[in-house]
Amino acid sequence: MKTLAPQWISEHVTRAGMIGCGVSEPGGQCLCQSANELVCPAKTLELILQQIGAAKTPPVTADVPTQWQTWVFAHGKIRSAMRPDGWTMIAVVNAEAVGIKTLDALAASFLALTPAG
Amino acid sequence: MDDDGDFLESVGALFGALSGGTWQIYLATTTDRALEILKDGQIELVVVDIKMPVLDGVQFVGMIQRRYPKIKRAMLTAYASEEKRTASLASGADLFIEKPRTSEGLKSVFAMLGELLQWQSRDGFQGVLRRVGLSDVIQMECLARNSSILEIYNQHVIGRIYIEDGQLIHAAGGDLTGEQALQKLLSLPGGSFELAQFEAPPKQTLSGPWEFLLMEAARVRDEMAANGVPAGMEVDPQTLTAPIDASAARLEETLIAFSSGEMLYESQCLDAPARTTWLQAVVEQAGQLGGILPLGNFDRLEIQLAGGRAVALARAGRLIYVRVSNTLGNA
């Protein structure tokens, strides 16, 4: 995953409507890339990633695993997804420019990453 | 009515053409002539210039309101000000419009007057979608378990959403009914609405929890925005998202609580206190995320589960949690 994650980020951060995206390792180390450092620096994305990681698990996960979450705000959305191996992704997008289907595809591509070996 | 005869002639011709001849337009350059027309004809709407000699437009509109209360009244002025606006509306004007200087502006005035003609006086209140979200009004009505009809207008669509005892029971807009109509109406970029007294709809086309219906409508609206579909257009939601069939989703849990944690309603919650605590944490978390990156007001948290989904909302001092499972899916 350490080699796949940067590639995944660089492939998706240039999508239309993307503010920035990032991933965190199970140990908490983050790798983030902003689409526009003036709007949302990578450091801010790291803080968001840490905040999402610290969020309480929804009380439905005992027998119903969470695939992904979307925090919907007036001007933006934050999609997060956590892999079974503990890697977590976030994508911060413009609310008007990026729809649910795009976010679903984004999260699905992250969850489907298959580390070699 | 306008003392500028040239302006009057050109506007009369344009509105006549825009209405396709369905509007019968009478022109008056004096209040005397206008009163004669009002006596003789079955006038539905008067459009009055404020700056008129002898009897100004504000007084004239006040007089019309007293003599002909059913006639709708619009006021035009070349120099709009807050004082004129206040005086016009206080005198009984339904609309206060600044005189446009372009033909496009006149077309907008024509559209506004067209809407005004469709208004019906009734008890209740009116709002503008840009200021108060339609979803917010529906939620308030549902949370209060009210019965009402939300009538929605814009230039192209007239729609109605029926709420009975806090449940969405019917929606109609254009040729659509049910969830498609609800989604279309909630995707309108602007317009106006009236909350009208409830009366039974011709049929019931909506079922299931209102939270779920609104959540699905929000999803479709997001998809329309992302796909560049003009809001209000006839669209097949199936091309934007999975077919929405309330009967294909099973409601697993519903919880509504005050922000303080006090329970208002819960259904099938395995551990309602735990969910309430979690909802409070979601609100706090949203505040912290908003503090990191200013994305505007928090609207909701959507959670995609294996075989279902859940949504957490915080509205009007209430915490709302709904979880549904796909009975035809991979639950």
Side-chain angles (χ1 to χ4, degrees):
Chain A
M1 276 300 287
K2 273 186 182 297
T3 53
L4 289 175
Q7 189 182 340
W8 181 86
I9 291 174
S10 59
E11 279 175 9
H12 292 93
V13 76
T14 52
R15 281 172 176 259
M18 183 72 76
I19 294 172
C21 58
V23 298
S24 66
E25 295 181 22
Q29 196 165 356
C30 299
L31 177 63
C32 297
Q33 192 171 339
S34 170
N36 185 335
E37 279 289 323
L38 293 174
V39 174
C40 179
K43 192 70 190 168
T44 298
L45 291 166
E46 281 185 24
L47 291 173
I48 292 172
L49 197 43
Q50 288 164 4
Q51 189 71 39
I52 296 277
K56 275 191 174 182
T57 307
V60 289
T61 53
D63 56 348
V64 191
T66 298
Q67 293 180 331
W68 52 68
Q69 298 184 8
T70 312
W71 296 80
V72 182
F73 294 84
H75 308 304
K77 296 175 193 164
I78 303 171
R79 167 63 64 95
S80 68
M82 185 188 237
R83 292 167 54 94
D85 59 12
W87 283 78
T88 303
M89 62 75 68
I90 59 157
V92 184
V93 300
N94 181 313
E96 292 176 357
V98 180
I100 295 294
K101 269 192 174 175
T102 303
L103 287 176
D104 287 356
L106 192 75
S109 73
F110 176 77
L111 295 173
L113 288 176
T114 309
Chain B
M1 180 180 80
D2 195 315
D3 59 348
D4 182 344
D6 293 339
F7 175 76
L8 207 55
E9 290 289 344
S10 59
V11 170
L14 178 64
F15 285 6
L18 289 173
S19 73
T22 59
W23 286 18
Q24 194 166 355
I25 300 169
Y26 300 89
L27 307 177
T29 54
T30 64
T31 50
D32 290 348
R33 174 65 190 136
L35 287 171
E36 283 174 18
I37 294 169
L38 286 169
K39 278 180 193 167
D40 295 342
Q42 293 186 335
I43 303 297
E44 293 178 64
L45 164 70
V46 293
V47 184
V48 178
D49 181 31
I50 287 185
K51 191 170 176 288
M52 292 291 292
V54 187
L55 185 68
D56 69 30
V58 173
Q59 295 180 74
F60 184 71
V61 161
M63 194 169 73
I64 294 173
Q65 188 191 24
R66 288 190 294 276
R67 286 194 190 175
Y68 309 98
K70 289 186 178 175
I71 294 179
K72 296 180 174 67
R73 303 161 295 273
M75 302 206 68
L76 277 177
T77 180
Y79 306 101
S81 67
E82 194 55 38
E83 290 75 18
K84 283 182 183 173
R85 180 180 179 280
T86 304
S88 299
L89 298 179
S91 73
D94 297 304
L95 272 182
F96 176 80
I97 306 168
E98 186 167 1
K99 267 186 188 174
R101 294 179 173 79
T102 64
S103 59
E104 285 304 310
L106 281 170
K107 286 178 186 173
S108 296
V109 171
F110 173 79
M112 279 189 271
L113 296 177
E115 284 198 23
L116 178 57
L117 280 169
Q118 294 182 41
W119 288 0
Q120 290 179 14
S121 303
R122 63 184 71 225
D123 294 333
F125 64 81
Q126 298 174 3
V128 178
L129 301 189
R130 290 186 193 89
R131 295 176 187 167
V132 179
L134 196 51
S135 297
D136 293 335
V137 176
I138 293 173
Q139 286 181 50
M140 284 189 282
E141 287 295 285
C142 290
L143 284 170
R145 298 191 177 183
N146 287 343
S147 296
S148 56
I149 302 173
L150 206 51
E151 297 192 326
I152 298 117
Y153 308 90
N154 80 357
Q155 192 173 344
H156 304 291
V157 177
I158 298 176
R160 289 181 178 82
I161 298 171
Y162 290 74
I163 302 167
E164 185 174 28
D165 296 331
Q167 290 300 321
L168 292 168
I169 60 168
H170 178 58
D175 297 331
L176 302 177
T177 58
E179 289 197 34
Q180 287 188 333
L182 183 70
Q183 289 154 10
K184 180 175 178 179
L185 294 169
L186 292 180
S187 72
L188 291 173
S192 60
F193 60 79
E194 282 186 47
L195 207 49
Q197 198 167 17
F198 179 79
E199 56 187 49
K203 57 184 174 179
Q204 184 162 341
T205 57
L206 294 173
S207 60
W210 60 268
E211 294 93 339
F212 176 70
L213 293 168
L214 291 186
M215 187 173 77
E216 290 295 346
R219 285 171 61 87
V220 172
R221 185 183 57 206
D222 286 347
E223 293 300 332
M224 288 172 69
N227 288 289
V229 179
M233 293 285 286
E234 291 287 351
V235 293
D236 179 2
Q238 292 185 5
T239 63
L240 304 172
T241 187
I244 294 159
D245 180 1
S247 64
R250 188 174 64 212
L251 184 64
E252 298 290 347
E253 293 182 62
T254 307
L255 183 150
I256 303 173
F258 284 115
S259 297
S260 60
E262 188 185 343
M263 189 68 58
L264 271 168
Y265 171 78
E266 69 93 3
S267 173
Q268 301 178 70
C269 279
L270 296 175
D271 189 349
R275 274 131 180 84
T276 306
T277 303
W278 174 75
L279 281 169
Q280 290 173 315
V282 165
V283 174
E284 189 182 339
Q285 180 88 3
Q288 288 166 348
L289 287 170
I292 296 170
L293 184 63
L295 293 172
N297 291 334
F298 173 60
D299 188 76
R300 62 191 183 277
L301 172 63
E302 298 173 352
I303 304 163
Q304 181 66 42
L305 306 161
R309 55 183 176 272
V311 64
L313 301 158
R315 298 282 162 81
R318 270 110 168 150
L319 305 170
I320 301 161
Y321 176 73
V322 179
R323 180 165 70 91
V324 297
S325 65
N326 305 329
T327 57
L328 304 178
N330 54 354

